[in-house]
Amino acid sequence: MKALILSAGLGTRLKPFTDNHPKALAPVNGKTLLEHNIRNLQRFGIYDIVVNVHHFADQIVHTLKANEGFGSRFEISDETDVVLETGGGLKKAIPFFLEEKNILILNVDILSNIDLAKMLSHHEDSQAMATLAVQKRNSSRYLLFREEQERRRLCGWRNVQTEEEKLPCPAMSPSYEEYAFSGIQIVQQAFLHKISQHGKFSLIDVYLSLCCTESIMAWDHTGDLLLDVGKPESLEQAAVLFKN
């Protein structure tokens, strides 16, 4: 399986570091977030990666070349002209994944000890179009899932701070559970060709546009370590949680 590491974001929450560097190169225990994620993928036999770049793109490219991909084969999806967010970034990178049965997509600023092998097995057993890693944890935004044949299928989104909701499938059961998205997902090859949006857009918008007709399913990994390294103080927290 080949992985796309989403590394093009501006990282505004990580200022002042991101005033001069991309968030992908933020250090945790002597290794960058990018290296942590690459080496974690290798633990599960994933040695082929695509990295999308925009903010200080040259620094990421130089780091990968200078370190020979930290032992992985890498390709660059160049968004230097305009950052495309998660959905637009995946759509631009489609040519790199034309021979893949499944594609793993993850945010570079997420650190987790999630078992990707179990997640892939669940994804293949369920024959889901997309499998989203989620947890029962506090968040300002939640994905909404309804139970379907002992699995959980996406049916909406909610922002608990603004009370905004997106419920694209009104015919579905009004009974659903809230889960926080972990920024890690596996999609089938067929999913890539169902992305109808253009330009700059999020993957969440794609999932919500397809969930009424396609199986967008949850992989609940509640209890695993997971940290969104989005702020300077979270770098310190990451150094404690992810010593190894």
Side-chain angles (χ1 to χ4, degrees):
M1 185 166 58
K2 187 182 284 189
L4 171 62
I5 304 179
L6 297 168
S7 307
L10 302 178
T12 53
R13 295 179 299 155
L14 263 181
K15 286 178 173 287
F17 178 83
T18 48
D19 287 336
N20 298 293
H21 309 279
K23 65 180 178 180
L25 299 187
V28 175
N29 292 329
K31 296 178 182 178
T32 64
L33 291 175
L34 180 60
E35 182 180 354
H36 275 286
N37 274 292
I38 290 173
R39 295 199 182 280
N40 187 56
L41 291 173
Q42 292 170 354
R43 291 176 52 230
F44 297 95
I46 300 172
Y47 284 84
D48 290 282
I49 61 171
V50 177
V51 181
N52 73 338
V53 295
H54 171 77
H55 189 57
F56 292 107
D58 58 328
Q59 293 185 28
I60 296 177
V61 173
H62 172 77
T63 296
L64 286 167
K65 288 182 176 179
N67 293 279
E68 298 181 337
F70 301 102
S72 288
R73 295 172 290 273
F74 69 90
E75 297 170 287
I76 300 295
S77 182
D78 190 352
E79 297 178 26
T80 304
D81 291 340
V82 57
V83 65
L84 297 171
E85 292 192 12
T86 54
L90 174 59
K91 187 169 186 175
K92 183 176 176 65
I94 285 177
F96 295 106
F97 299 104
L98 295 180
E99 297 181 2
E100 302 301 312
K101 178 183 177 183
N102 293 298
I103 301 99
L104 174 68
I105 307 158
L106 63 157
N107 297 345
V108 75
D109 52 2
I110 294 292
L111 295 180
S112 176
N113 65 351
I114 184 174
D115 189 327
L116 295 174
K118 286 185 177 180
M119 182 178 176
L120 176 60
S121 177
H122 174 87
H123 171 74
E124 292 185 326
D125 288 347
S126 69
Q127 298 183 325
M129 180 66 67
T131 299
L132 316 184
V134 296
Q135 289 184 323
K136 281 287 189 181
R137 55 182 165 83
N138 291 330
S139 178
S140 60
R141 292 167 293 181
Y142 291 100
L143 294 177
L144 308 178
F145 294 86
R146 67 180 178 90
E147 189 168 331
E148 183 178 276
Q149 297 178 343
E150 298 183 355
R151 302 186 188 276
R152 296 175 180 88
R153 177 172 173 175
L154 182 68
C155 62
W157 173 93
R158 174 183 293 139
N159 185 320
V160 295
Q161 292 183 337
T162 64
E163 298 185 351
E164 180 187 2
E165 283 189 339
K166 295 179 181 179
L167 299 170
C169 316
M172 286 188 175
S173 168
S175 176
Y176 37 69
E177 291 184 86
E178 295 178 340
Y179 285 88
F181 182 42
S182 299
I184 303 167
Q185 55 252 286
I186 299 174
V187 302
Q188 286 188 27
Q189 168 71 225
F191 172 85
L192 303 179
H193 308 289
K194 291 183 178 291
I195 301 175
S196 61
Q197 293 84 347
H198 300 281
K200 181 179 178 180
F201 57 92
S202 79
L203 267 173
I204 295 298
D205 289 339
V206 181
Y207 296 137
L208 291 172
S209 71
L210 295 174
C211 68
C212 301
T213 56
E214 305 293 343
S215 55
I216 314 295
M217 311 300 282
W219 165 248
D220 182 2
H221 68 115
T222 301
D224 290 340
L225 278 179
L226 182 130
L227 185 64
D228 177 355
V229 190
K231 299 179 181 179
E233 56 268 28
S234 60
L235 286 171
E236 300 174 9
Q237 188 179 0
V240 174
L241 293 176
F242 294 91
K243 290 182 179 179
N244 298 319

